[in-house]
Amino acid sequence: MTGFFSLTKRNCKLFFRDKGMFFTSLITPAILLVLYVTFLAKVYKESFTSALPAAFALDDSLINGTVGGQLVSSLLAVCCVTVSFCSNLLMVQDKVSGARRDLTMSPVSKSTLALSYFTASALSTMLICFVALGVCLVYLAIVGWYMTVKDVLLLCVDVFILVLFGTALSSIVNCNLSTNGQASAVGTIVSAGYGFVCGAYMPISNFGDGLQKVLSFLPGTYGTALFRNHALRGVYAEMLSIGFPVEIVEGIKDSIDCNLYFLGEKVGIGSMYAVMILSLVVLVGGYVLLNTIKRND
Amino acid sequence: MSDIIRIEHLCKSFGAVKAVQNLSFRVKEGELFAFLGVNGAGKSTTINILCGQLQKDSGTVEIDGMDLDHDTVRIKRELGVVFQNSVLDGALTVRDNLQSRAALYGIVGVVFKKRLERLSNLLDFEDVINRPVSKLSGGQRRRIDIARALIHHPRILVLDEPTTGLDPQSRRLLWDVVTKLREREGLTVFLTTHYMEEATDADYVIILDNGSIAGEGTPLSLKNTYAGDYVTLYGIDEKSVGALGLPYVPIRDGWRIEVATTSEATKLILEHPALFEDYEITKGKMDDVFLAVTGKKLNGGEGK
């Protein structure tokens, strides 16, 4: 266990001390923030207010709370996955630098080494994502707070699950890479693409039917939806309490991906958790299997 | 001296390429053992097998009485490896690097502190202990590499082309450190190198070619077997040298004659005492041995 703890500590330290790796991991959330500040917030606000019937006059705080909830959920959804991908690139860097060869010269087993990469990546990502969650909650408190303690706790659970999901996914992908070029390519693809694929940059409901169907098979989509539901639950409750018809609230939920449909069937929150946990189990199993196969080679 | 490494009939192939073919040799405890060969000769493959990084196809490897097939973990505790390039974490300090590596061997807390103190004294790096490895000079980094290799008290230090790319001063420093370690800690040193003159100081040398042993012995026996002696004559004219009837080459201050053995040189001096007023006899170099054994030249540059 001493070896495992030491390796995990080393990996975490390396991630936070390597400014290149650390700041690269924050690129996608930063892009999202820039998009939001420059035009997304305005687009969200306008599309939201224009969709409302003329009879409904809404408080600014509720509108800002809704738009803020969208930003927060999008930001956390991409953060959990892209940061874990970048922090987990250490396993590739160690191959390139030769550090892995040095580590495997010691009596520590390869499975311990693989587990240490996973744990360190999960811990580093969790630290960043919980700090991000804290900042997001402060932001929501300023622009429009409609959440309960339960919502906050559920957001924490979502961060926990999605970080583990991102770490498991990145572990499977990264353990097959062995050059800086490959690592850079994967980092770029994930940073640029994941925000779209999980519906963080733009709600999936805005995409065509075919693409929506394809994306409904990807578990990350349900992770974003969980964040959306918990960040916006209070807003929807407030809307209903001030007299919004249920149909309109459901329409809003549909338009910003709080409601997701799999082959035409609405997916409940419980099912979303089930999808995420099942995916996590499959991915971790895959990582263990890959390491077993590689060890026997 | 007892054998600390025993390798018998070691074979390893990568597809159709036979990297190591029926290799057998022994390394005695406390000696400086040199492994010579051009790139692709099989040196790294052998070292990787020794260190448990690569599976062998056949043969036996025994280190300190332990079989590599059954005692890999215990064998890893006996080996310290200095790689050709530094493999420490550049972003971490010297202390952090050594601490994280020591913990892999269960060395933590006070035991680690004491070991760090001992190594920093021995290798003289107390002043850079809190500096990131990436900020160190080539020579300083090499010392930390050695400290990492020795952190767990190994009995065998494997130096895998440790001086490649180092400036002469750093190279000298490394050899001073290795010599000191052998004297003080009785380490067995397993060296692979491109530099022939480094092999000259070894107790035993193996020359590898195409995965098998092309020549082996002490540097002296190799020189005696595979390289002739040189007699250098000073202060005589070319006509007198020519009269000896042996091939000669001019050098700056005299003439160099190649003879097959030292006894032939002695015979020559006794037969022509008048010509040998100012002269020297030198053994052939390891480069000559390597060329004679493999038909190839090592491009290692100058010696240490």
Side-chain angles (χ1 to χ4, degrees):
Chain A
M1 282 310 265
T2 313
F4 167 70
F5 287 126
S6 160
L7 281 170
T8 306
K9 190 175 156 192
R10 167 211 176 245
N11 297 348
C12 288
K13 264 189 183 177
L14 272 174
F15 173 63
F16 287 107
R17 293 232 179 125
D18 186 336
K19 291 179 185 68
M21 194 152 52
F22 178 68
F23 286 115
T24 306
S25 73
L26 299 177
I27 279 180
T28 313
I31 288 173
L32 195 63
L33 269 179
V34 170
L35 289 177
Y36 181 80
V37 170
T38 50
F39 73 97
L40 269 184
K42 199 174 162 211
V43 170
Y44 285 166
K45 244 181 217 179
E46 282 173 3
S47 65
F48 179 59
T49 46
S50 64
L52 289 175
F56 292 103
L58 275 186
D59 186 0
D60 262 1
S61 154
L62 193 59
I63 296 173
N64 288 337
T66 311
V67 176
Q70 270 183 277
L71 166 75
V72 165
S73 52
S74 298
L75 196 78
L76 291 173
V78 289
C79 220
C80 291
V81 174
T82 58
V83 173
S84 65
F85 257 91
C86 288
S87 64
N88 227 346
L89 283 178
L90 182 66
M91 67 168 79
V92 188
Q93 271 193 0
D94 278 353
K95 282 184 199 167
V96 176
S97 69
R100 188 187 169 89
R101 202 171 160 221
D102 185 36
L103 298 174
T104 52
M105 286 286 179
S106 73
V108 168
S109 68
K110 286 185 179 169
S111 52
T112 304
L113 187 59
L115 186 63
S116 78
Y117 284 126
F118 183 94
T119 312
S121 176
L123 286 176
S124 306
T125 311
M126 243 172 240
L127 185 64
I128 291 176
C129 290
F130 275 111
V131 169
L133 175 63
V135 174
C136 287
L137 292 177
V138 171
Y139 173 75
L140 285 179
I142 294 167
V143 298
W145 181 265
Y146 295 92
M147 296 173 76
T148 60
V149 174
K150 189 182 165 192
D151 293 330
V152 174
L153 289 176
L154 284 170
L155 275 180
C156 292
V157 172
D158 298 342
V159 168
F160 183 76
I161 291 174
L162 213 68
V163 166
L164 290 181
F165 168 78
T167 307
L169 182 64
S170 60
S171 296
I172 283 191
V173 174
N174 292 357
C175 80
N176 292 301
L177 311 179
S178 54
T179 65
N180 275 332
Q182 292 170 345
S184 164
V186 166
T188 308
I189 290 167
V190 171
S191 299
Y194 186 75
F196 283 106
V197 169
C198 75
Y201 291 158
M202 197 188 285
I204 289 170
S205 61
N206 290 5
F207 297 148
D209 283 347
L211 192 54
Q212 279 191 45
K213 201 166 275 178
V214 171
L215 294 179
S216 71
F217 282 90
L218 302 181
T221 311
Y222 300 96
T224 312
L226 282 171
F227 280 122
R228 290 251 199 273
N229 276 296
H230 297 136
L232 291 162
R233 191 211 56 80
V235 172
Y236 298 137
E238 179 66 15
M239 286 177 184
L240 290 171
S241 74
I242 61 171
F244 270 52
V246 176
E247 297 77 25
I248 289 184
V249 174
E250 286 302 312
I252 297 169
K253 282 184 174 181
D254 280 351
S255 70
I256 53 177
D257 292 346
C258 285
N259 290 337
L260 284 182
Y261 297 89
F262 183 74
L263 302 176
E265 288 290 317
K266 188 178 165 188
V267 182
I269 301 269
S271 305
M272 289 181 190
Y273 274 123
V275 169
M276 292 308 297
I277 290 167
L278 192 67
S279 312
L280 179 60
V281 170
V282 170
L283 289 171
V284 170
Y287 183 51
V288 172
L289 191 68
L290 272 174
N291 276 289
T292 311
I293 292 167
K294 285 186 176 196
R295 202 164 53 241
N296 294 336
D297 274 350
Chain B
M1 280 193 292
S2 58
D3 295 331
I4 197 161
I5 300 176
R6 282 184 195 190
I7 291 185
E8 302 286 344
H9 309 296
L10 183 67
C11 294
K12 175 71 186 176
S13 297
F14 298 102
V17 179
K18 289 180 177 171
V20 173
Q21 305 178 56
N22 200 25
L23 198 63
S24 299
F25 64 87
R26 290 170 183 210
V27 180
K28 298 213 174 291
E29 193 173 354
E31 77 178 0
L32 171 56
F33 181 92
F35 224 37
L36 294 178
V38 293
N39 287 335
K43 303 188 301 285
S44 295
T45 305
T46 309
I47 284 190
N48 282 333
I49 293 171
L50 267 181
C51 300
Q53 297 286 299
L54 208 56
Q55 291 284 321
K56 58 185 167 54
D57 293 341
S58 61
T60 57
V61 176
E62 218 177 79
I63 294 173
D64 202 13
M66 293 176 280
D67 190 321
L68 185 65
D69 292 334
H70 305 109
D71 291 307
T72 316
V73 173
R74 278 173 65 201
I75 283 175
K76 283 182 174 181
R77 290 184 179 277
E78 301 287 312
L79 298 169
V81 185
V82 176
F83 299 95
Q84 186 177 338
N85 299 312
S86 181
V87 290
L88 294 174
D89 303 315
L92 300 186
T93 63
V94 171
R95 185 192 298 278
D96 283 344
N97 265 293
L98 295 178
Q99 194 167 23
S100 66
R101 300 308 201 266
L104 304 179
Y105 298 87
I107 301 167
V108 291
V110 181
V111 182
F112 167 71
K113 273 186 188 165
K114 279 187 180 165
R115 186 63 181 154
L116 181 65
E117 201 181 309
R118 165 109 177 93
L119 287 173
S120 60
N121 281 330
L122 188 71
L123 299 165
D124 191 24
F125 61 84
E126 296 105 322
D127 51 336
V128 297
I129 214 156
N130 291 316
R131 214 183 284 175
V133 167
S134 61
K135 306 278 183 206
L136 303 181
S137 69
Q140 287 171 327
R141 213 176 287 187
R142 249 347 20 187
R143 273 184 274 167
I144 310 305
D145 290 334
I146 296 173
R148 183 269 171 265
L150 297 175
I151 197 84
H152 56 290
H153 301 275
R155 297 187 64 199
I156 302 164
L157 180 65
V158 179
L159 302 172
D160 190 4
E161 297 180 17
T163 54
T164 305
L166 282 188
D167 58 81
Q169 197 185 348
S170 302
R171 215 181 286 170
R172 162 60 56 195
L173 190 138
L174 182 129
W175 279 110
D176 287 347
V177 165
V178 170
T179 307
K180 203 156 61 172
L181 284 168
R182 287 186 64 212
E183 285 167 5
R184 290 189 190 177
E185 312 224 336
L187 271 178
T188 303
V189 178
F190 190 109
L191 166 77
T192 75
T193 182
H194 278 166
Y195 297 112
M196 287 292 133
E197 295 313 311
E198 288 178 349
T200 306
D201 291 341
D203 296 306
Y204 201 80
V205 177
I206 278 188
I207 298 173
L208 270 190
D209 192 30
N210 290 324
S212 52
I213 296 174
E216 63 178 305
T218 62
L220 180 69
S221 69
L222 283 170
K223 285 175 184 177
N224 283 340
T225 310
Y226 296 104
D229 286 9
Y230 294 99
V231 180
T232 310
L233 277 164
Y234 303 104
I236 60 168
D237 57 25
E238 188 171 3
K239 196 179 162 192
S240 305
V241 180
L244 293 170
L246 290 167
Y248 61 90
V249 289
I251 58 167
R252 189 176 278 266
D253 303 316
W255 312 93
R256 182 179 290 149
I257 304 165
E258 192 176 344
V259 290
T261 60
T262 312
S263 56
E264 196 179 307
T266 310
K267 195 178 160 201
L268 197 66
I269 296 164
L270 292 172
E271 283 173 359
H272 307 276
L275 295 179
F276 288 85
E277 284 188 355
D278 189 4
Y279 69 96
E280 60 186 343
I281 304 173
T282 48
K283 290 271 174 206
K285 292 183 175 177
M286 286 302 287
D287 300 73
D288 304 321
V289 173
F290 193 83
L291 185 65
V293 169
T294 65
K296 296 165 188 166
K297 273 198 161 186
L298 266 183
N299 297 317
E302 291 168 17
K304 56 176 175 157

